[in-house]
C-alpha cells in the first residue's frame, strides 16, 4: 500500500506534456493519406481518413486488425484522459483555426463557429468508429450473400467476428476514457496530481455504485485498471492490483480483499452492487497480471471468475514491524510471500530461500551486516515460521563458524562452534546447547592453553562432573561449579602418579589428599602452597608398598560412570529418532539430519552470491523413497551386510549422515590433546554405544518402510538377538571410522608392556631357528628341519627365519585389517599353519596339546615381529563378538596373550651364557 497524498503535482505536468505530444502525433497520422487501402462503398469519413484510419481488409495473410487499431485507440484515449487535444488547441490556436478546412474533410457537420478542442476530439474519433462500423456491416452483408459451403465463408465469418470485437473494444475504451476524464475535476488537487496519468483508466467509482470498505472507512473507492484507490480526506491509499487477491468466498453482500499489508471487506446494500464490484475487481486484477488489456475487454468471452492464487512480484513493505522498508521479490500466495523469494532490508540484511504464509520457512540463507566492520554474519540453515529451526551452518564474519541445530532462532541441540585458528583465543566447542547456551554434555578445546574439557555444562559454564586433559599429559577429574573445579577430585600425571584429594578453583592441590607414586610409594596428608613457593606437603610417606601392577594402572580410567554412555550424545541421536518417528519425510531430511557443505571456501562463496553448494536434497540417490525401497530389498543376512556397508559409507544416506556426525564427536573428544590413555575406557564404550544406536536407526528405517508398504511391523528384538547384530554386524562395519583415534588410545595405554615385548622379540631375533626352538623347549621331533633348504657349507644351526615360515607370514597379516573377527580368523589360520607344518614333519595328522602349542606359538610370534601386539590383543578382546567367548577364538586369543606376556618376562631380555652371541655356533 502507498500513501500518495504528499506527492507534488509534477506528474501532472509530465502527463500533460506527454499527452500533447501524443495528440500531435495522432493528428499527423489521421491526416496522412494511406495509399492502397481497401475502401467501403459509399465514401464518407472512412474515405476521407488516412493512415491508421484506413486499415486494409483482413485476409489470411494480413490477419486481424486488432494490434494496429488497438495501438491507435490506446494513444487516442490516453490523450482524451488528460484533455491533451484541448490543451494542444489552446497552445496552437492560430494554427488550428487555419486548418479548419482540412479538418472539415475528416469530420462531417463541423460548424465554423465550433471550438477547436472538441473538434479535434471528434476529428480523431469519428472517422475510426465509422470506418470500423462500415467494415462490420460490409462483412455481415457479405456473409449473408455467400453460401454456407463457399470456401471463403469461414474467413468472412472470422473476420466479421474480429471487427465486431474491435468495435466493442473501441466503444468500451472510449467510455472508460470519458469516465476517467470526467473523474479528475471531481477530485481535489492533491489526489488528482497523485493519480492522473494518461495510461490510467477508471473502471468503477463508488459514487456510481456505492460500496463500504472496512476497516479503513474510505470516503470514496476508485478502481482503476492498475490500482485500487481508497480516499480518506487528504490521504490517498493505493494498492497495486497485481498484489490484490479477491477471496472466492463471499458472505451475502460482502466480499474480502487481501493485500500484502492490509485486508478489508467490501460491502454493498444490495447483492447486485456487490456482484458488480467483485466482478470488476477480479477482472481488473487478472488483466493487470497479464500486463495488457484483453481483446475484447470486460464482459466479452470467457473471463476468469477468480484471481490467480500464486504470483511472482516485487513489493516493499511500509508498515511498522520487522519487514518495514524490506523489499520482497519472489512468489506470493494469498497476499503473503509463499515459495521461493528474496527479502532485502535497507541496512544490508538479505534472506534468500523458501517462505510460507509470509514467514521464512524451509531452507534459506540470511546475511546480516556487522555494525563495526565490513563483514557479514551468514546463516545457511532451515527455518520454521520465521525462526531458525533445525540444522544450519552459520559464519560469524571470519571469526567463528557454528554447525548444528537451532530452535526458535537460538542454538539448541547438538552443535559445533569453532573460532578461527588465527584468533588470539582460539577455541572449539562440540556438544549440546540449550536456548543459545552451552548446556549438557560437551567438549571444549582451548588451543592457547593446551587444554580440553570433557564433561557437563550449564548456562554456558562448566558445571557438574568433568575431566580436564592437558597437552602435557596431566588429567583432572572432579566436579565443576561456575566454570571452576571444586571439592574432591583426581589428578593423573603422565608418569602415572595419582593424586586423590581436594583442589582449589585453579586446580592447585590444597587440603587433605593422597599421592601414589609410580614406584608404589604413597604420601598421605595435607597439601598446600602459594604462588611461586611450590607445593608443601605434611603427612606420612609409605615406602613399603610394592609397585602397582600394569592392570591396576590400566584401570585408572577417567569419566566412566560420571557420564553415562547412553546419554552422552543424545543431541546427535535425537534428531534421527524424530526423523524416523515422523515417518522419514523427505522434506525434513536436511532439517533433522543436516546437510553437507564441501569446504569453507564454499561457505565464503555463499556470502557473495547468496547460495549454498550443498548436496541437493532431491538427488535420486538420496531420495527417501529409494532408500526405504532398498531397506526392504536387503533383509537377508548377506544382503543386509552389503546394504549397511554401502549405506554407512554414503554421505547422502541417513545412516551415513549419522555416522559422520558421530565421527566428528569422536575426533573432537579423543584426537589431538584428547589422545590420553586414561580416556581409553570412555572411548571404547562410546564406540559400542554408537553401534547400538546405528542398529536401532536401521531398525527404525525398516519399520517405516514396512509401514509405507502396508505390511505388519517386525516384532521387537530380544536383547540377545540385538547384541548379536550389534557386535557381529554393525560394530565391524563402523570400527574403521573410529579406528585411528581408538587404536592410538590402546597404544598409549599399553605402551610400557609393548616396550618390554619389543625388547624381548629383539633379543630373540638374535637366535638362529634351531637355537630358538631349543631355548623355547620345543620338542625336537616337532622341528621342521625338512623344510630347511641349505646352501653349500651351511649348517642347520645357522639358519634363521625359515622354520614355520608359512605360519609367521600368516600371523603378520593380523595388522592388515581393523575388523576384530578378521583378526581372529588370521589367528585361526596361523594355528592351522602350525598344525599343518607339524603334521607334515610327523608324516601324519597331529593335534597339538596346549603344552606343545604355546612354545611353537611363541616362536611364531617372535619371528612375526608384530609391533604394538599388546594394543592389538586388547582391542580384539574388547571389541570381539561376545558369542565367541569360551570358543575356539577365545582359546586362541588367550594363547596369544600368554605368548605376549611370556615375551615380556625378564628371562627373555637376557641371553643365556651358553648361547652368548660371541660364541661361534
Amino acid at each position: 500500500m502507498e500513501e500518495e497524498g504528499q506527492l507534488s503535482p509534477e506528474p501532472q505536468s509530465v502527463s500533460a506534456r506527454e499527452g500533447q505530444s501524443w495528440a500531435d502525433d495522432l493528428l499527423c497520422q489521421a491526416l496522412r493519406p494511406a495509399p492502397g487501402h481497401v475502401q467501403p462503398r459509399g465514401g464518407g469519413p472512412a474515405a476521407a481518413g488516412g493512415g491508421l484510419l484506413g486499415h486494409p481488409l483482413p485476409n489470411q495473410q494480413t490477419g486481424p486488425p486488432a494490434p494496429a487499431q488497438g495501438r491507435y485507440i490506446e494513444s487516442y484515449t490516453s490523450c482524451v484522459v488528460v484533455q491533451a487535444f484541448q490543451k494542444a488547441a489552446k497552445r496552437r490556436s492560430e494554427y488550428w483555426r487555419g486548418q479548419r478546412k482540412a479538418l472539415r474533410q475528416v469530420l462531417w457537420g463541423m460548424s465554423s463557429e465550433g471550438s477547436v478542442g472538441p473538434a479535434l476530439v471528434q476529428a480523431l474519433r469519428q472517422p475510426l468508429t465509422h470506418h470500423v462500423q462500415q467494415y462490420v456491416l460490409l462483412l455481415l452483408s457479405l456473409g449473408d450473400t455467400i453460401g454456407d459451403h463457399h470456401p471463403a465463408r469461414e474467413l468472412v465469418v472470422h473476420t466479421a467476428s474480429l471487427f465486431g470485437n474491435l468495435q466493442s473494444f473501441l466503444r468500451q475504451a472510449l467510455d472508460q476514457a470519458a469516465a476517467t476524464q470526467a473523474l479528475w475535476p471531481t477530485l481535489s488537487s492533491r489526489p488528482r496530481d497523485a493519480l492522473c496519468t494518461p495510461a490510467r483508466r477508471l473502471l468503477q467509482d463508488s459514487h456510481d455504485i456505492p460500496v463500504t470498505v472496512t476497516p479503513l472507512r474510505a470516503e470514496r473507492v476508485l478502481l482503476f485498471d492498475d490500482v485500487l484507490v481508497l480516499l480518506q480526506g487528504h490521504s490517498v491509499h493505493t494498492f497495486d492490483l497485481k498484489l490484490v487477491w479477491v477471496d472466492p468466498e463471499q458472505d451475502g453482500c460482502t466480499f474480502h480483499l487481501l493485500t500484502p499489508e492490509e485486508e478489508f471487506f467490501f460491502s454493498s446494500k444490495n447483492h447486485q452492487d456487490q456482484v458488480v464490484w467483485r466482478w470488476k475487481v477480479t477482472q481488473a486484477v487478472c488483466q493487470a497480471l497479464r500486463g495488457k488489456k484483453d481483446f475484447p475487454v470486460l464482459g466479452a468471452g470467457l473471463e476468469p471468475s477468480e484471481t490467480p492464487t500464486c504470483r511472482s512480484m516485487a513489493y516493499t513493505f511500509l508498515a511498522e514491524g520487522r519487514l518495514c522498508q524490506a523489499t520482497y521479490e519472489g512468489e506470493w500466495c494469498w497476499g503473503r510471500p509463499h515459495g521461493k523469494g528474496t527479502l532485502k532490508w535497507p541496512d544490508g540484511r538479505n534472506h534468500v530461500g523458501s517462505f510460507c504464509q509470509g514467514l521464512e520457512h524451509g531452507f534459506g540463507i540470511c546475511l546480516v551486516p556487522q555494525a563495526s566492520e565490513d563483514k557479514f554474519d551468514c546463516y545457511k540453515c532451515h527455518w520454521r515460521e520465521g525462526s531458525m529451526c533445525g540444522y544450519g551452518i552459520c559464519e560469524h564474519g571470519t571469526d567463528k563458524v557454528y554447525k548444528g541445530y537451532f530452535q526458535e532462532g537460538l542454538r539448541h541441540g547438538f552443535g559445533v562452534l569453532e573460532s578461527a585458528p588465527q584468533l588470539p583465543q582460539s577455541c572449539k566447542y562440540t556438544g549440546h546447547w540449550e536456548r543459545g547456551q552451552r548446556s549438557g554434555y560437551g567438549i571444549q578445546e582451548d588451543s592457547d592453553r593446551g587444554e580440553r574439557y570433557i564433561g557437563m555444562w550449564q548456562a554456558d559454564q562448566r558445571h557438574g562432573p568433568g575431566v580436564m586433559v592437558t597437552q602435557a599429559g596431566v588429567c583432572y577429574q572432579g566436579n565443576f561449579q561456575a566454570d571452576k573445579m571444586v571439592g574432591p577430585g583426581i589428578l593423573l600425571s603422565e608418569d602415572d602418579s595419582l593424586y586423590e584429594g581436594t583442589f582449589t578453583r585453579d586446580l592447585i592441590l590444597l587440603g587433605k589428599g593422597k599421592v601414589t607414586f609410580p614406584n608404589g610409594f604413597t604420601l598421605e596428608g595435607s597439601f598446600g602452597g602459594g604462588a611461586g613457593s611450590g607445593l608443601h606437603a605434611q603427612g606420612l610417606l609409605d615406602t613399603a608398598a610394592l609397585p602397582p601392577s600394569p592392570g591396576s594402572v590400566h584401570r585408572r580410567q577417567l569419566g566412566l560412570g560420571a557420564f553415562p554412555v547412553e546419554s552422552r550424545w543424545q543431541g546427535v541421536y535425537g534428531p534421527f529418532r524424530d526423523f524416523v518417528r515422523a515417518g522419514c519425510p523427505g522434506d525434513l531430511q536436511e532439517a533433522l539430519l543436516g546437510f553437507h557443505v564441501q569446504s569453507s571456501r564454499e561457505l565464503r562463496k555463499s556470502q557473495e552470491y547468496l547460495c549454498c553448494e550443498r548436496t541437493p536434497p532431491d538427488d535420486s540417490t538420496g531420495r527417501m523413497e529409494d532408500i526405504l525401497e532398498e531397506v526392504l530389498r536387503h533383509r537377508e543376512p548377506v544382503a543386509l551386510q552389503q546394504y549397511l556397508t554401502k549405506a554407512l559409507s554414503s554421505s547422502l544416506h541417513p545412516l551415513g549422515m549419522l555416522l559422520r556426525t558421530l565421527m566428528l564427536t569422536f575426533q573432537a573428544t579423543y584426537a589431538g590433546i584428547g589422545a590420553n590413555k586414561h580416556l581409553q575406557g570412555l572411548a571404547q564404550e562410546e564406540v559400542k554405544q554408537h553401534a547400538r544406536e546405528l542398529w536401532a536407526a536401521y531398525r527404525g528405517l525398516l519399520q517405516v518402510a514396512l509401514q509405507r508398504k502396508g505390511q505388519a511391523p517386525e516384532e521387537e528384538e530380544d536383547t540377545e538377538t540385538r547384541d548379536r547384530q550389534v557386535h557381529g554386524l554393525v560394530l565391524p562395519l563402523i570400527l574403521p571410522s573410529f579406528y585411528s583415534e581408538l587404536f592410538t588410545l590402546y597404544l598409549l595405554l599399553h605402551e610400557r608392556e609393548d616396550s618390554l615385548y619389543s625388547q624381548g622379540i629383539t633379543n630373540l631375533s638374535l637366535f638362529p631357528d634351531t637355537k630358538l626352538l631349543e631355548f623355547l623347549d620345543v620338542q625336537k621331533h616337532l622341528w621342521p628341519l625338512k623344510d630347511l633348504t641349505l646352501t653349500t657349507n651351511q649348517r642347520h644351526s645357522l639358519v634363521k627365519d625359515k622354520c614355520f615360515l608359512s605360519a609367521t607370514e600368516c600371523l603378520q597379516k593380523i595388522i592388515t585389517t581393523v575388523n576384530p573377527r578378521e583378526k581372529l580368523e588370521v589367528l585361526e589360520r596361523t594355528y592351522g599353519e602350525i598344525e599343518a607344518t607339524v603334521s607334515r614333519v610327523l608324516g601324519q595328522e597331529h593335534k597339538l596339546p596346549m603344552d606343545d602349542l604355546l612354545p611353537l606359538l611363541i616362536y611364531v610370534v617372535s619371528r612375526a615381529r608384530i609391533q604394538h601386539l599388546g594394543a592389538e590383543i586388547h582391542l580384539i578382546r574388547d571389541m570381539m563378538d561376545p558369542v565367541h567367548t569360551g570358543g575356539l577364538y577365545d582359546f586362541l586369543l588367550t594363547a596369544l596373550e600368554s605368548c605376549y606376556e611370556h615375551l615380556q618376562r625378564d628371562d627373555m631380555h637376557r641371553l643365556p651364557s651358553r648361547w652368548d652371541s660371541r660364541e661361534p655356533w
Side-chain angles (χ1 to χ4, degrees):
M1 182 188 74
E2 300 179 2
E3 289 199 20
E4 300 182 352
Q6 304 299 323
L7 295 179
S8 66
E10 182 181 347
Q12 184 180 4
S13 60
V14 174
S15 301
R17 291 195 299 270
E18 183 181 358
Q20 292 167 11
S21 176
W22 285 357
D24 292 345
D25 291 342
L26 286 175
L27 285 169
C28 293
Q29 292 180 36
L31 299 176
R32 185 175 63 245
H37 68 274
V38 178
Q39 179 174 313
R41 288 173 297 180
L52 287 173
L53 304 185
H55 196 279
L57 179 69
N59 54 47
Q60 289 181 326
Q61 285 73 35
T62 61
Q69 304 289 10
R71 287 193 298 271
Y72 180 86
I73 294 169
E74 183 178 356
S75 300
Y76 171 81
T77 54
S78 295
C79 294
V80 171
V81 166
V82 293
Q83 295 184 316
F85 298 121
Q86 290 85 339
K87 294 172 183 177
K90 291 180 181 179
R91 184 167 57 90
R92 305 178 64 180
S93 58
E94 293 300 325
Y95 172 79
W96 295 120
R97 288 192 183 96
Q99 298 295 324
R100 288 179 182 274
K101 185 175 180 181
L103 290 176
R104 275 197 295 270
Q105 296 178 1
V106 179
L107 181 65
W108 293 349
M110 175 181 173
S111 64
S112 58
E113 292 80 13
S115 61
V116 176
L120 290 177
V121 174
Q122 289 292 99
L124 296 175
R125 182 184 67 185
Q126 187 69 20
L128 177 60
T129 56
H130 189 75
H131 176 83
V132 173
Q133 183 180 6
Q134 289 294 316
Y135 268 120
V136 170
L137 295 175
L138 174 64
L139 290 168
L140 292 176
S141 176
L142 183 61
D144 294 338
T145 303
I146 63 177
D148 293 340
H149 303 289
H150 194 280
R153 179 171 179 78
E154 183 178 353
L155 174 62
V156 172
V157 171
H158 176 65
T159 306
S161 174
L162 290 178
F163 270 98
N165 290 339
L166 177 61
Q167 187 177 34
S168 174
F169 179 87
L170 175 60
R171 186 181 304 113
Q172 194 159 8
L174 294 173
D175 292 343
Q176 288 180 357
T180 307
Q181 177 189 355
L183 169 69
W184 306 131
T186 67
L187 301 178
S188 59
S189 61
R190 183 173 296 179
R192 182 173 64 248
D193 293 343
L195 297 175
C196 182
T197 62
R200 181 166 287 163
R201 302 291 183 271
L202 178 66
L203 304 181
Q204 190 60 59
D205 187 348
S206 62
H207 281 185
D208 299 329
I209 299 180
V211 67
T212 302
V213 180
T214 55
L216 290 181
R217 302 289 183 183
E219 299 170 0
R220 190 173 183 180
V221 182
L222 302 174
L223 175 63
F224 292 96
D225 58 353
D226 61 338
V227 293
L228 176 66
V229 179
L230 305 181
L231 301 178
Q232 283 183 308
H234 295 292
S235 298
V236 181
H237 304 279
T238 63
F239 301 90
D240 187 346
L241 288 181
K242 296 177 181 178
L243 288 170
V244 172
W245 281 260
V246 181
D247 192 341
E249 301 293 331
Q250 52 184 324
D251 181 16
C253 298
T254 302
F255 66 95
H256 185 204
L257 291 184
L258 294 172
T259 69
E261 296 185 79
E262 302 280 356
E263 58 177 303
F264 32 82
F265 294 88
F266 275 39
S267 304
S268 302
K269 292 183 178 180
N270 59 75
H271 180 68
Q272 185 62 33
D273 292 348
Q274 181 265 343
V275 169
V276 172
W277 267 102
R278 184 178 182 279
W279 184 84
K280 288 201 172 185
V281 172
T282 299
Q283 306 313 312
V285 169
C286 295
Q287 287 194 5
L289 291 173
R290 284 192 288 269
K292 61 180 181 179
K293 289 188 177 182
D294 291 336
F295 182 76
V297 291
L298 302 176
L302 296 176
E303 297 287 349
S305 59
E306 296 181 5
T307 55
T309 301
C310 299
R311 312 168 191 177
S312 293
M313 293 293 299
Y315 179 78
T316 300
F317 292 87
L318 301 177
E320 292 296 327
R322 73 181 191 94
L323 296 181
C324 184
Q325 300 301 320
T327 299
Y328 174 79
E329 183 174 358
E331 299 173 350
W332 298 76
C333 182
W334 289 116
R336 302 290 181 267
H338 191 90
K340 303 293 184 181
T342 302
L343 196 57
K344 297 182 179 180
W345 282 265
D347 62 1
R349 285 180 293 159
N350 291 275
H351 183 96
V352 178
S354 298
F355 293 79
C356 181
Q357 294 300 310
L359 298 174
E360 298 90 334
H361 193 91
F363 182 79
I365 302 175
C366 183
L367 291 184
V368 180
Q370 294 183 353
S372 56
E373 302 178 34
D374 187 20
K375 297 180 180 179
F376 287 84
D377 291 340
C378 183
Y379 300 86
K380 289 169 284 293
C381 51
H382 281 262
W383 302 68
R384 181 183 299 167
E385 297 179 358
S387 299
M388 290 180 288
C389 189
Y391 185 81
I393 300 177
C394 303
E395 271 192 318
H396 302 277
T398 57
D399 299 337
K400 295 181 180 180
V401 176
Y402 173 81
K403 299 180 182 180
Y405 292 90
F406 290 85
Q407 183 174 318
E408 296 180 359
L410 300 174
R411 298 169 189 158
H412 192 91
F414 171 77
V416 179
L417 178 64
E418 184 174 9
S419 58
Q422 66 270 17
L423 291 181
Q425 296 180 340
S426 177
C427 64
K428 178 181 179 180
Y429 175 81
T430 304
H432 297 86
W433 300 75
E434 186 173 339
R435 300 200 60 78
Q437 296 182 324
R438 291 166 291 184
S439 187
Y441 184 75
I443 318 297
Q444 176 154 306
E445 180 171 328
D446 189 332
S447 301
D448 291 343
R449 295 171 60 91
E451 295 177 348
R452 180 174 295 173
Y453 172 80
I454 304 170
M456 305 305 294
W457 295 75
Q458 181 176 308
D460 240 11
Q461 293 183 325
R462 294 173 293 182
H463 191 92
V467 174
M468 179 74 77
V469 183
T470 68
Q471 206 161 17
V474 179
C475 301
Y476 303 86
Q477 177 174 325
N479 283 296
F480 287 76
Q481 185 174 349
D483 232 21
K484 300 290 184 180
M485 188 170 178
V486 295
I490 296 174
L491 181 148
L492 282 167
S493 64
E494 191 174 19
D495 65 354
D496 291 330
S497 296
L498 170 65
Y499 171 80
E500 300 168 277
T502 57
F503 298 84
T504 66
R505 297 175 71 87
D506 297 315
L507 299 179
I508 298 175
L509 279 60
L510 182 66
K512 292 183 178 181
K514 178 183 178 181
V515 176
T516 303
F517 298 97
N519 60 4
F521 293 179
T522 62
L523 175 61
E524 188 170 2
S526 298
F527 298 84
S533 60
L535 178 66
H536 303 284
Q538 183 177 1
L540 178 63
L541 178 65
D542 183 4
T543 60
L546 297 174
S549 65
S552 64
V553 175
H554 296 167
R555 287 192 291 270
R556 292 174 182 172
Q557 293 295 303
L558 302 177
L560 297 177
F563 322 116
V565 67
E566 298 84 3
S567 59
R568 275 179 219 163
W569 297 112
Q570 286 302 313
V572 179
Y573 307 140
F576 192 95
R577 295 195 192 106
D578 294 340
F579 178 67
V580 172
R581 196 177 297 117
C584 301
D587 57 339
L588 292 183
Q589 181 173 348
E590 278 193 343
L592 292 175
L593 305 184
F595 52 85
H596 182 59
V597 176
Q598 298 293 336
S599 64
S600 58
R601 181 179 180 182
E602 291 185 358
L603 293 176
R604 291 192 295 273
K605 177 182 175 183
S606 67
Q607 289 193 5
E608 302 172 7
Y609 299 101
L610 287 178
C611 66
C612 184
E613 297 295 333
R614 71 196 201 281
T615 302
D618 55 349
D619 192 289
S620 59
T621 58
R623 293 177 56 220
M624 281 310 305
E625 292 80 0
D626 297 338
I627 290 172
L628 296 176
E629 286 286 345
E630 289 283 318
V631 170
L632 291 177
R633 287 199 299 266
H634 297 82
R635 298 170 66 180
E636 296 302 321
V638 176
L640 176 58
Q641 183 178 15
Q642 295 173 350
Y643 171 76
L644 289 178
T645 302
K646 181 180 177 181
L648 291 169
S649 62
S650 171
S651 61
L652 298 178
H653 196 286
L655 295 178
M657 298 168 75
L658 179 57
L659 177 59
R660 276 162 176 71
T661 305
L662 296 174
M663 290 168 56
L664 184 149
T665 64
F666 199 79
Q667 293 167 0
T669 310
Y670 305 109
I673 298 175
N676 190 290
K677 63 185 177 182
H678 301 297
L679 300 179
Q680 178 267 340
L682 207 65
Q684 175 221 126
E685 66 175 11
E686 203 164 288
V687 172
K688 293 180 179 179
Q689 179 64 22
H690 292 341
R692 285 190 284 269
E693 292 289 346
L694 285 165
W695 176 249
Y698 162 75
R699 292 280 299 173
L701 292 177
L702 176 59
Q703 300 292 15
V704 172
L706 291 171
Q707 182 180 3
R708 288 196 179 186
K709 292 294 183 180
Q711 301 179 23
E714 286 197 347
E715 296 181 0
E716 193 72 25
E717 288 181 315
D718 56 63
T719 304
E720 182 180 351
T721 303
R722 184 197 63 193
D723 291 345
R724 184 169 61 252
Q725 296 284 30
V726 168
H727 291 90
L729 178 61
V730 181
L731 187 58
L733 293 178
I734 71 169
L735 194 55
S737 302
F738 306 101
Y739 193 80
S740 176
E741 293 79 15
L742 185 62
F743 191 67
T744 300
L745 297 178
Y746 276 90
L747 289 179
L748 296 172
L749 184 62
H750 300 282
E751 186 177 18
R752 180 168 172 267
E753 302 95 290
D754 275 339
S755 177
L756 295 173
Y757 153 79
S758 297
Q759 186 179 347
I761 63 173
T762 300
N763 291 337
L764 295 181
S765 67
L766 300 175
F767 286 78
D769 288 349
T770 56
K771 295 294 186 181
L772 182 56
L773 290 170
E774 183 180 353
F775 176 70
L776 297 175
D777 294 329
V778 177
Q779 299 184 46
K780 288 190 176 183
H781 71 282
L782 300 180
W783 293 12
L785 299 180
K786 297 179 182 179
D787 296 343
L788 301 180
T789 303
L790 302 178
T791 60
T792 306
N793 299 326
Q794 189 178 21
R795 294 178 295 171
H796 285 102
S797 60
L798 297 179
V799 175
K800 292 177 64 176
D801 299 329
K802 297 297 183 181
C803 292
F804 296 99
L805 183 60
S806 61
T808 301
E809 292 176 345
C810 184
L811 184 61
Q812 289 172 337
K813 296 178 181 177
I814 199 169
I815 63 173
T816 62
T817 178
V818 301
N819 188 331
R821 180 180 177 86
E822 292 177 357
K823 290 178 181 289
L824 290 171
E825 290 172 350
V826 169
L827 188 56
E828 182 183 17
R829 289 196 297 272
T830 302
Y831 171 69
E833 290 292 341
I834 294 174
E835 280 200 336
T837 302
V838 170
S839 298
R840 188 171 61 253
V841 170
L842 298 178
Q844 61 181 0
E845 186 175 347
H846 181 74
K847 293 294 183 181
L848 289 169
M850 187 62 176
D851 291 342
D852 290 340
L853 173 63
L854 189 58
L856 288 173
L857 190 57
I858 293 175
Y859 172 86
V860 172
V861 170
S862 66
R863 288 307 194 220
R865 300 180 182 88
I866 299 172
Q867 292 185 336
H868 315 299
L869 182 60
E872 292 280 2
I873 291 172
H874 286 88
L875 188 143
I876 296 172
R877 175 69 70 187
D878 291 340
M879 294 295 168
M880 75 176 189
D881 192 341
V883 74
H884 299 310
T885 303
L888 176 62
Y889 286 158
D890 194 9
F891 165 74
L892 293 176
L893 186 59
T894 302
L896 185 61
E897 286 176 318
S898 299
C899 297
Y900 175 74
E901 293 171 0
H902 194 86
L903 290 169
Q904 298 176 52
R905 287 165 41 181
D906 290 342
D907 56 355
M908 294 291 169
H909 299 161
R910 54 180 182 269
L911 295 175
S913 58
R914 66 180 186 277
W915 289 337
D916 192 276
S917 59
R918 293 171 295 180
E919 180 184 340
W921 291 335

